[in-house]
Amino acid sequence: SNKVSLLRFVVSAKDYQRGSGSEETPEELDPYVMPVQTRTGHYNTWDLSWRGWKKAAELHLNSAEGFVMMHLSSLVVTTNLAAFLSYLDPEKPYFMGHVRGLNTWNSEGILYNDKAAYMLNKRALRLLYFRLTAIREDVDGSGGGEYVCQNAPGEFEEKRIAACLKDVGVIPMETRDKEGRQRFILSRPRNRDEFKNCSPYPLSFGQIYNV
């Protein structure tokens, strides 16, 4: 099916309480309210991210073929995404998103996709769940760096989720088309040159406001 079967809003308990009833709170989305402690100087997107993926696996692993983590300002083209998935082997794990230098490993040996919107198929989420259940919530790993799969405050969720996936043998796949054009697009194309870098069958856009 090419329809979205379920939407969830992943939010910290503090932010949900603070934003409840405001215009910025997506009231139509059923929230995952996470026990995340917001710290001064940090917005704990990594804490929200790994807990959100873990919750999705616990509740919905067998109810969908693909799972997308996206910002509220992102847009996913579900018909194109369903078509793209239909060509992939469901028995293999896939980690998909905006390609950032898949031909070059960073200094930590990690390949990662951009955080605007990225997707795991069912097989990848199952493997990720096993890794996330091993994260010790009583250990603060804030000193471990950006490329570690452990509990820590702050951001870097796209790097840390890639580290978790790499631990279970899953690395980002090449999602650009045969001409090198992006399918997961970071922002709304605004001119001809930007459109040239976009696939005619995009899977997602980031930074979409006021639509």
Side-chain angles (χ1 to χ4, degrees):
S1 171
N2 61 13
K3 74 175 185 177
V4 176
S5 58
L6 185 66
L7 291 173
R8 292 286 186 175
F9 180 41
V10 181
V11 62
S12 70
K14 182 177 181 180
D15 286 341
Y16 183 70
Q17 183 179 16
R18 180 173 56 196
S20 182
S22 73
E23 294 182 356
E24 296 181 355
T25 303
E27 299 290 350
E28 69 275 16
L29 301 188
D30 192 7
Y32 288 152
V33 180
M34 298 297 170
V36 174
Q37 298 297 319
T38 302
R39 307 182 186 192
T40 302
H42 291 285
Y43 184 65
N44 289 348
T45 50
W46 164 236
D47 211 351
L48 289 173
S49 180
W50 77 260
R51 291 176 189 273
W53 279 118
K54 183 179 177 183
K55 179 66 72 173
E58 290 172 346
L59 298 180
H60 308 294
L61 181 61
N62 296 316
S63 62
E65 294 302 317
F67 301 82
V68 178
M69 180 74 75
M70 58 187 285
H71 288 193
L72 287 175
S73 62
S74 296
L75 180 150
V76 172
V77 186
T78 57
T79 51
N80 290 353
L81 189 56
F84 187 77
L85 280 175
S86 69
Y87 290 98
L88 304 180
D89 183 351
E91 297 303 314
K92 295 181 180 180
Y94 294 101
F95 169 29
M96 294 164 270
H98 178 85
V99 174
R100 289 205 174 201
L102 287 187
N103 296 323
T104 304
W105 293 76
N106 64 33
S107 61
E108 303 293 331
I110 300 292
L111 295 172
Y112 62 93
N113 285 332
D114 193 88
K115 60 188 178 181
Y118 57 97
M119 179 178 177
L120 304 177
N121 71 337
K122 182 192 298 186
R123 180 66 176 170
L125 181 57
R126 180 178 287 113
L127 292 171
L128 177 64
Y129 176 72
F130 293 139
R131 180 64 185 89
L132 296 181
T133 56
I135 290 180
R136 291 185 55 183
E137 298 187 33
D138 60 334
V139 174
D140 184 347
S142 56
E146 302 173 10
Y147 300 95
V148 290
C149 184
Q150 60 189 20
N151 189 38
E155 302 176 324
F156 311 119
E157 67 268 28
E158 77 281 16
K159 300 173 184 177
R160 288 173 173 162
I161 203 69
C164 295
L165 286 161
K166 181 175 180 289
D167 285 349
V168 290
V170 182
I171 61 173
M173 70 174 292
E174 172 63 84
T175 58
R176 292 173 292 192
D177 66 18
K178 61 182 181 181
E179 295 185 24
R181 296 172 296 189
Q182 295 282 357
R183 289 189 172 99
F184 288 84
I185 300 163
L186 297 183
S187 62
R188 181 190 305 179
R190 301 180 186 279
N191 56 56
R192 180 174 295 181
D193 288 336
E194 290 183 358
F195 271 107
K196 288 180 180 179
N197 294 322
C198 301
S199 169
Y201 299 99
L203 304 181
S204 74
F205 294 92
Q207 301 180 36
I208 303 297
Y209 302 102
N210 301 321
V211 295

